[in-house]
Amino acid sequence: MTALEKSRPEEGLWMVDAPVPEIGPDDVLIKINKTGICGTDIHIWNWDDWASHTVPVPMITGHEFAGEIVEIGRDVTGLSVGQRCSGEGHLIGTESRQSRAGKFHLDPGTRGIGVNVQGAFAQYLRLPAFNVVPLPDDISDEIGAILDPLGNAVHTALSFDLLGEDVLITGAGPIGIMAAAVARHASARRVVITDVNPDRLALARHVVPNVRTVNVAEEDLNDVIHELGMKEGFDVGLEMSGNQAALDQMVESMVMGGKIALLGIPPGKSPVDWSRIVFKAITIKGVYGREMFETWYKMIAMLQNGLDVSKVITHRFKVADFREGFAAMKSGKSGKVVLDWT
Ligand code: NAD
Ligand code: ZN
């Protein structure tokens, strides 16, 4: 089968001919139709510090996918050949306290497809049946291929009650933009999203109706708070940039007792003014991945009930043109980039 592989410990990915994976009794084999390119795949392409310390070579990359089940392990029940699906790319163990409590997404032994085990940038993917999420007919393969990052957005955004709240999102990458759409869908009162990249802010306005975008390189967030009539600041903050200045700005612009969910990953240790957090009585929650499988349930329900994130997909390529897809992602001007494997 055709696959995109990190074949050598250096920059790039290579299109290779790889064997179709053999499945075990509890697995399914999925024929891949569409995949999304993630920031993680860019780290792997670039072969940065994180990637070179994390990813064994050779490795078929990719973890954002939609496809169709073509083979079922002998102990699998409840799934059928021909069924369309996406799936959770985090493979969990069953022995940790968290897993045994049903908090699968908190299992410390989690391994990621396309990072630690062979991934989804391939014509066929082996996946434990447990990780499969069937796609209803009204969710396309293209949306199915971005449920992983939409799930990050949903997991983060639904960390706190948003109904009637004023929400600040820092970072208008694909995930921040989708979080803004989710916050609107969940009936937040005001949704403000910041970035320093005007292309990303324009995309946010294109994807999400009634979102206030702020280029913090040009505009003072305090002026916006004033202009929007928020006396004390934001009730809920969703940090989606991994940028130190953005987090500082978020802490400063929260109400007393505000709540912050952190998804963005800072590049290294980053200093925090803890006394500000203490005296503002701020609650902080770190967010990793998606809740298995509550996030999947909620996002599919929202998509079936009017949540529209389709415009966040800005580029589509045949897999043969994957280099253009990665270039689009690296340009900083794109939203989600989807590769077609059919
Ligand atoms: P992205 O890199 O595409 O977007 C980040 C955005 O933040 C960029 O548009 C950038 O211009 C913007 N930014 C930079 N400085 C800023 C500032 N001072 N104020 C406001 N915005 C600023 O990333 P993405 O794919 O949308 O993902 C968002 C974040 O979530 C990343 O940090 C990513 O590593 C992280 N992530 C975490 C998890 C998890 O499980 N915790 C999963 C996926 C992604
Ligand atoms: Zn991803």
Side-chain angles (χ1 to χ4, degrees), residues 38-39 43 152 170-176 194-197 200 216 240-243 245-246 249 262-265 287-289:
C38 181
H43 288 291
N152 295 133
T170 44
I175 300 181
T194 66
D195 207 295
V196 290
N197 175 340
R200 285 288 174 77
V216 288
M240 305 205 147
S241 72
N243 182 281
Q249 191 164 45
L262 298 177
L263 183 86
I265 303 172
V287 179
Y288 177 54

Side-chain angles (χ1 to χ4, degrees), residues 34-36 64-66 86 135 140-149 336 338:
K34 308 266 179 176
T35 56
E64 304 181 356
F65 69 92
S86 180
L135 286 177
S140 67
D141 283 347
E142 198 170 80
I143 296 296
I146 64 164
L147 290 181
D148 170 291
K336 286 304 293 184
V338 170

Side-chain angles (χ1 to χ4, degrees), residues 172 174 177 197-203 312 314-315 327-337:
I177 292 174
N197 175 340
D199 295 315
R200 285 288 174 77
L201 293 168
L203 181 63
V312 85
T314 54
H315 295 72
M329 271 295 279
K330 288 201 217 181
S331 72
K333 291 178 185 291
S334 75
K336 286 304 293 184
V337 176

Side-chain angles (χ1 to χ4, degrees), residues 164-301:
E165 305 290 355
D166 293 335
V167 178
L168 173 65
I169 299 166
T170 44
I175 300 181
I177 292 174
M178 290 192 280
V182 171
R184 284 251 72 96
H185 188 80
S187 295
R189 181 167 64 165
R190 300 185 183 93
V191 180
V192 173
I193 187 164
T194 66
D195 207 295
V196 290
N197 175 340
D199 295 315
R200 285 288 174 77
L201 293 168
L203 181 63
R205 291 190 293 276
H206 179 60
V207 177
V208 188
N210 298 320
V211 70
R212 172 66 154 91
T213 58
V214 182
N215 185 338
V216 288
E218 292 171 355
E219 208 175 349
D220 187 339
L221 190 57
N222 286 321
D223 294 344
V224 176
I225 291 173
H226 185 72
E227 166 204 312
L228 294 176
M230 280 181 271
K231 286 207 183 74
E232 298 161 40
F234 295 94
D235 305 298
V236 176
L238 311 175
E239 206 307 294
M240 305 205 147
S241 72
N243 182 281
Q244 175 68 44
L247 177 59
D248 286 343
Q249 191 164 45
M250 177 170 275
V251 170
E252 285 313 310
S253 51
M254 299 301 291
V255 295
M256 287 285 296
K259 302 179 184 88
I260 294 178
L262 298 177
L263 183 86
I265 303 172
K269 276 195 178 179
S270 62
V272 173
D273 185 352
W274 289 108
S275 62
R276 288 298 284 159
I277 310 266
V278 171
F279 288 123
K280 288 191 94 166
I282 284 173
T283 301
I284 295 188
K285 180 190 173 191
V287 179
Y288 177 54
R290 296 144 299 279
E291 281 188 20
M292 287 177 234
F293 284 85
E294 190 63 5
T295 302
W296 291 86
Y297 181 90
K298 292 272 192 188
M299 78 178 140
I300 287 174

